[in-house]
Amino acid sequence: MERFKKLWARTGTRMGFVMLMVFLFWAKTLVAYFVDFNLNLSDPFQFLIILINPIATTLLLFGLALYFKRARFFYPFLFLIDILNTLLLYINVIYFREFTDFMTVSTVLGYSKVDQGLSGSSLALTSPHDILYWLDLVIVLILMATRRIYIDPRPVNKRVGFAVTSSALLLFTVNLTMGEMDRPQLLTRTFDRTYVVKYLGLDAFTVYDGIKSQHTSELRSHAKKSELSGILKYVHKNYAAPNKQLFGVAKKKNVIVIHLESFQQFLINKKVNGQEVTPFLNKLYKSKATYSFDNFFHEVGQGKTSDAETMLETGTYGLSQGSLFTQLGNDNTFQAAPAIFDQSGYTTAVFHGNVASFWNRSNTYKNLGYQYFFDASYFDTSGDKALGYGLKDKLLFSDSVKYLQHLQQPFYVKYLTVTNHFPFTLDKEDSSFKTPNTGDKTVDNYFKTAHYLDQSIKEFYHYLDKSGLAKNSLVMIYGDHYGISNSSNKSLAKLLGVNPDDWNDYDNAQLQRVPLMFNMPGYTKGKVEHTYGGEIDVLPTLLHLMGINSKKYIQFGTDLFSSEHNPVVAFRNRDWVSPGYTSIDDTIYSNRTKQEIHPTGKLAKKIAAIQKHVNQGLNDSDSLNQKNLLRFYHPSGFKTVDASDYNYSDGLQKAEKLEKKLGLKSTSLFSRNGDKSTQSLYQTDAPELNHKETDSNRIKITNQDDTSGK
């Protein structure tokens, strides 16, 4: 008791009062972390970081009061900082309950544009425990009024103030170091705003986001419409007219995009221990119903999966640093695939078993024009149903049916798979695939998760066939980026029949191939194409297959089927590959000999011209996106997307409401099936579902004819 009295007596000093306020704010921040925010803590180290991260910035801000000599300034200033910080915390609590995300500076400044219904629903978003966010301030004021806490008139020596500031900065440095240890490139790649809050705290996130917003704002404030002229000249010069035989071959069909996480081309037709790694994808790849590409490369940078989505949806490159989705996705103007399809009479949707805020998808998808986003909140991700990056693939495809069947046709839908993601872990009961033994667990397990992904797609195709969707759909399958990093490629080399001692940068570049397939069940003219291309080429190719000419849009790729297609593939770091030559760090390799060469004469000029083309494309794309120049460009017939038109919180209800409104005119699969669910048509051997008929389902799926058209 005596010890407590001595400790409490210190609150009567300015330093003690600051420590009390820091402690109280730390406590209510932890309430927000553990009760209101979903920070996805995965290990004790992250738990430790969570306990530490509110302290540094709180001590730094509250400690500023120590520099005031007079008590009449010290106490009001400290309370003002506490109130503002509490307000920031509480606003984020309310916002998180509605959007499962944190408020950015641009969101705060343009709050009315976030969601017109949020202000009206704020009261409904409150909770009884919210009193804890404000109770400490009330209690402290009462204690001061009743003189249980005395006002200290004595100023604090400036050296004490400097010591507190220095300690706060040192603690923040330690905090940042711990965050970087657990999540490398935390601030440069910015996977998810949740990550920054989890590792550095809400105050640090707000400052960090404010700096980024200011940089973006400065770029945009000086942007002029005239800057589009050079970009338009480049795009129009490099436009490739569609292949007349294939233009519109899939017109009015559904488009189903399957995004293969970390899936590289070498997996196709690969055997391990005598067993095919991806037997179903192998059949699709070789089918006459499929156009496949064996020289197709990913072109992602630090944004990885989000960069792949950027190229797929917008026809522009990801940024040179970080992710376009997280840095610019909140308020950039896009003329993207979802909006283009929407304005062509399509329903647009995404299915993804991760949280909506990851890569800022919840906001970016609205600006891209997606009508529906079925994220982790729509699925049961409890227990062993999910891995580090979300719902397992078999469960994603299976559980998506209850939503997919209610979408009006034709639709443009995208499935983002996650199970084949680093570190490639999978529960034993999910796969019996026998892995290789390279000595590198990452490489070994990669084949197991890839095999699981293949099985997932096979089950989904079985449903497409049984439900009747297959015959009226184009299924586009592509790999988003590498799975095995360059540091592990030598371990992989043996499996590829290459001597690890001979492996070099050229081999690393060539290994960046990923699959690309356009599968149309019932089609018979498909084949394996050897054309060189990259992810930047996907959008114009897909649009032309659907009978939509890409010429009026600003896109940096070209139709892979066009005779005018440019076969140079630009990597985000300005390296490139082409049918004849490869450039890595300004070193040129001959694809024929796989050896370094030193070009002279005409070849040197040709190489220089290719590099100039690559640089200009990347520069123009960066300028277009960073300065938001598309706000100045208005293609004929295209309506600018208004993000406030979309709300992803009630997807199923919206789809069902539309079905009832359309009545007999509804084109959803559910309506076409006599208002009966098609979920029973889906067969899966996913052990998490505990089906009694798991074994019989597995047999049926194994023996059923594939829908590849072969």
Side-chain angles (χ1 to χ4, degrees):
M1 192 67 180
E2 287 298 321
R3 181 178 296 180
F4 174 77
K5 288 181 178 180
K6 289 181 180 180
L7 187 63
W8 183 254
R10 292 180 183 177
T11 62
T13 67
R14 292 194 185 185
M15 188 64 195
F17 188 70
V18 168
M19 292 298 104
L20 172 65
M21 300 300 278
V22 168
F23 172 79
L24 292 173
F25 190 83
W26 170 79
K28 61 187 174 185
T29 301
L30 292 186
V31 171
Y33 282 178
F34 290 107
V35 178
D36 290 303
F37 299 153
N38 180 16
L39 299 182
N40 299 313
L41 302 181
S42 59
D43 56 55
F45 188 67
Q46 290 185 4
F47 184 84
L48 176 62
I49 293 175
I50 280 289
L51 294 179
I52 293 174
N53 81 34
I55 300 175
T57 52
T58 304
L59 185 61
L60 180 65
L61 292 173
F62 287 20
L64 294 176
L66 295 171
Y67 292 97
F68 290 98
K69 290 184 177 181
R70 297 184 180 180
R72 64 178 180 176
F73 294 129
F74 168 79
Y75 288 97
F77 179 82
L78 183 53
F79 270 102
L80 177 63
I81 293 295
D82 199 333
I83 291 170
L84 291 176
N85 233 23
T86 301
L87 184 62
L88 175 66
L89 177 65
Y90 188 62
I91 287 175
N92 273 277
V93 166
I94 296 296
Y95 188 81
F96 197 93
R97 288 172 184 165
E98 175 70 8
F99 297 104
T100 320
D101 200 0
F102 296 96
M103 291 193 76
T104 63
V105 171
S106 60
T107 302
V108 174
L109 296 177
Y111 190 73
S112 62
K113 298 180 181 179
V114 176
D115 187 284
Q116 294 176 349
L118 181 59
S119 58
S121 62
S122 293
L123 184 60
L125 294 171
T126 59
S127 177
H129 74 265
D130 288 358
I131 193 174
L132 296 176
Y133 295 115
W134 302 99
L135 187 61
D136 64 310
L137 289 168
V138 175
I139 291 175
V140 169
L141 284 173
I142 292 174
L143 290 174
M144 293 181 72
T146 58
R147 297 189 178 184
R148 296 297 179 91
I149 295 178
Y150 294 99
I151 293 177
D152 185 2
R154 299 167 297 174
V156 174
N157 192 299
K158 286 186 177 181
R159 286 180 294 181
V160 175
F162 286 133
V164 170
T165 300
S166 300
S167 298
L169 292 174
L170 178 61
L171 183 58
F172 181 78
T173 302
V174 173
N175 188 180
L176 178 60
T177 302
M178 293 172 70
E180 282 287 337
M181 287 170 58
D182 199 57
R183 174 57 67 180
Q185 297 179 305
L186 173 64
L187 297 180
T188 54
R189 289 187 64 194
T190 320
F191 302 84
D192 186 343
R193 283 188 278 274
T194 303
Y195 279 51
V196 181
V197 174
K198 176 165 68 174
Y199 289 111
L200 300 181
L202 192 58
D203 286 333
F205 160 73
T206 303
V207 172
Y208 168 72
D209 182 72
I211 292 172
K212 287 201 310 176
S213 297
Q214 179 60 29
H215 174 68
T216 301
S217 178
E218 288 179 1
L219 280 175
R220 296 181 178 191
S221 65
H222 295 95
K224 299 178 181 178
K225 185 177 180 179
S226 58
E227 294 180 77
L228 271 173
S229 58
I231 296 173
L232 287 168
K233 183 178 180 181
Y234 173 86
V235 170
H236 291 157
K237 179 181 178 181
N238 290 280
Y239 168 77
N243 181 311
K244 292 182 180 179
Q245 283 70 43
L246 291 177
F247 184 77
V249 70
K251 191 172 184 178
K252 297 302 179 182
K253 284 181 176 287
N254 297 315
V255 179
I256 301 173
V257 176
I258 300 179
H259 174 112
L260 304 178
E261 172 63 43
S262 305
F263 197 101
Q264 292 175 250
Q265 176 68 20
F266 69 78
L267 290 167
I268 299 296
N269 295 324
K270 181 66 182 172
K271 287 186 176 182
V272 172
N273 298 317
Q275 183 180 1
E276 287 183 285
V277 180
T278 57
F280 184 73
L281 287 174
N282 294 348
K283 290 180 180 179
L284 285 182
Y285 182 78
K286 295 178 286 189
S287 167
K288 291 296 183 181
T290 307
Y291 283 103
S292 303
F293 291 82
D294 60 3
N295 288 310
F296 179 75
F297 294 78
H298 78 79
E299 299 172 277
V300 307
Q302 290 181 337
K304 296 189 78 174
T305 297
S306 68
D307 280 359
E309 289 190 81
T310 296
M311 288 180 275
L312 165 70
E313 307 289 20
T314 73
T316 65
Y317 293 99
L319 301 179
S320 58
Q321 288 187 329
S323 162
L324 182 145
F325 269 38
T326 58
Q327 293 183 25
L328 307 175
N330 279 9
D331 49 15
N332 245 34
T333 300
F334 299 107
Q335 291 156 14
I340 294 171
F341 278 105
D342 178 7
Q343 295 175 31
S344 298
Y346 278 68
T347 303
T348 59
V350 183
F351 297 92
H352 186 36
N354 201 347
V355 293
S357 62
F358 197 77
W359 287 127
N360 193 33
R361 289 186 175 102
S362 53
N363 293 312
T364 305
Y365 281 165
K366 292 175 183 177
N367 282 309
L368 294 178
Y370 270 114
Q371 299 166 6
Y372 299 89
F373 178 22
F374 300 99
D375 70 299
S377 66
Y378 284 89
F379 303 102
D380 178 7
T381 59
S382 63
D384 57 359
K385 294 183 178 68
L387 297 171
Y389 287 88
L391 190 68
K392 292 178 182 177
D393 297 339
K394 287 185 179 180
L395 303 180
L396 171 69
F397 284 116
S398 174
D399 292 353
S400 72
V401 169
K402 59 189 169 190
Y403 308 117
L404 179 68
Q405 65 182 353
H406 290 288
L407 300 181
Q408 298 298 304
Q409 300 182 71
F411 50 64
Y412 170 79
V413 300
K414 178 170 66 176
Y415 281 85
L416 294 168
T417 63
V418 299
T419 307
N420 192 48
H421 195 294
F422 180 85
F424 313 113
T425 54
L426 195 61
D427 296 329
K428 290 182 179 180
E429 61 269 23
D430 285 316
S431 177
S432 59
F433 186 84
K434 187 176 181 181
T435 62
N437 185 19
T438 65
D440 186 326
K441 288 186 178 180
T442 298
V443 173
D444 296 342
N445 290 334
Y446 180 61
F447 292 93
K448 176 180 286 190
T449 52
H451 182 73
Y452 175 91
L453 174 55
D454 180 78
Q455 291 178 313
S456 306
I457 295 171
K458 182 175 184 177
E459 292 178 352
F460 182 55
Y461 256 84
H462 179 257
Y463 168 76
L464 294 179
D465 184 49
K466 291 295 183 182
S467 66
L469 283 177
K471 62 184 179 183
N472 191 39
S473 298
L474 178 150
V475 183
M476 193 196 92
I477 302 173
Y478 81 110
D480 64 342
H481 55 74
Y482 65 88
I484 305 300
S485 64
N486 288 349
S487 60
S488 294
N489 279 345
K490 287 194 175 184
S491 299
L492 177 67
K494 295 178 182 178
L495 294 175
L496 303 180
V498 179
N499 186 338
D501 294 333
D502 296 331
W503 195 272
N504 59 19
D505 289 341
Y506 171 84
D507 297 300
N508 286 334
Q510 300 304 314
L511 206 59
Q512 304 314 307
R513 287 176 171 83
V514 293
L516 175 65
M517 309 178 205
F518 296 97
N519 175 249
M520 293 174 282
Y523 190 73
T524 59
K525 298 180 181 180
K527 60 180 180 178
V528 177
E529 300 278 358
H530 305 301
T531 304
Y532 272 64
E535 287 168 334
I536 198 68
D537 301 313
V538 171
L539 181 55
T541 305
L542 177 61
L543 290 178
H544 289 175
L545 288 174
M546 305 308 295
I548 303 171
N549 201 315
S550 65
K551 189 172 186 177
K552 67 180 180 181
Y553 300 106
I554 296 180
Q555 297 171 0
F556 290 87
T558 54
D559 186 345
L560 290 163
F561 294 110
S562 173
S563 59
E564 301 170 2
H565 167 69
N566 188 330
V568 174
V569 181
F571 293 135
R572 184 57 260 195
N573 62 0
R574 300 181 186 273
D575 291 343
W576 50 265
V577 296
S578 72
Y581 304 96
T582 297
S583 175
I584 307 294
D585 292 332
D586 295 326
T587 299
I588 308 301
Y589 295 87
S590 166
N591 290 356
R592 183 177 60 83
T593 64
K594 302 181 181 180
Q595 299 298 318
E596 180 182 347
I597 62 173
H598 302 280
T600 58
K602 292 183 178 180
L603 180 57
K605 292 181 179 179
K606 179 181 178 179
I607 297 297
I610 291 176
Q611 189 66 63
K612 181 180 179 181
H613 169 78
V614 167
N615 291 344
Q616 186 175 354
L618 292 170
N619 290 340
D620 284 354
S621 177
D622 287 346
S623 181
L624 181 80
N625 284 319
Q626 290 175 337
K627 298 177 182 179
N628 196 22
L629 295 179
L630 279 180
R631 61 192 151 133
F632 301 126
Y633 184 66
H634 307 285
S636 174
F638 182 84
K639 181 182 177 182
T640 302
V641 172
D642 184 350
S644 65
D645 290 340
Y646 306 105
N647 188 320
Y648 298 140
S649 62
D650 58 348
L652 180 59
Q653 290 77 10
K654 285 191 295 185
E656 291 176 330
K657 185 177 180 180
L658 182 57
E659 279 177 333
K660 292 179 181 179
K661 181 180 179 181
L662 293 173
L664 295 176
K665 294 182 180 180
S666 173
T667 60
S668 71
L669 185 60
F670 182 83
S671 297
R672 295 280 175 89
N673 195 44
D675 291 345
K676 295 180 181 179
S677 175
T678 61
Q679 287 181 264
S680 61
L681 299 176
Y682 204 102
Q683 298 175 342
T684 177
D685 64 1
E688 296 84 1
L689 297 182
N690 295 316
H691 284 175
K692 294 180 180 179
E693 298 176 352
T694 296
D695 292 335
S696 61
N697 285 345
R698 185 185 293 114
I699 293 172
K700 288 178 182 179
I701 295 169
T702 302
N703 294 332
Q704 62 96 15
D705 293 332
D706 68 76
T707 60
S708 61
K710 185 176 178 181

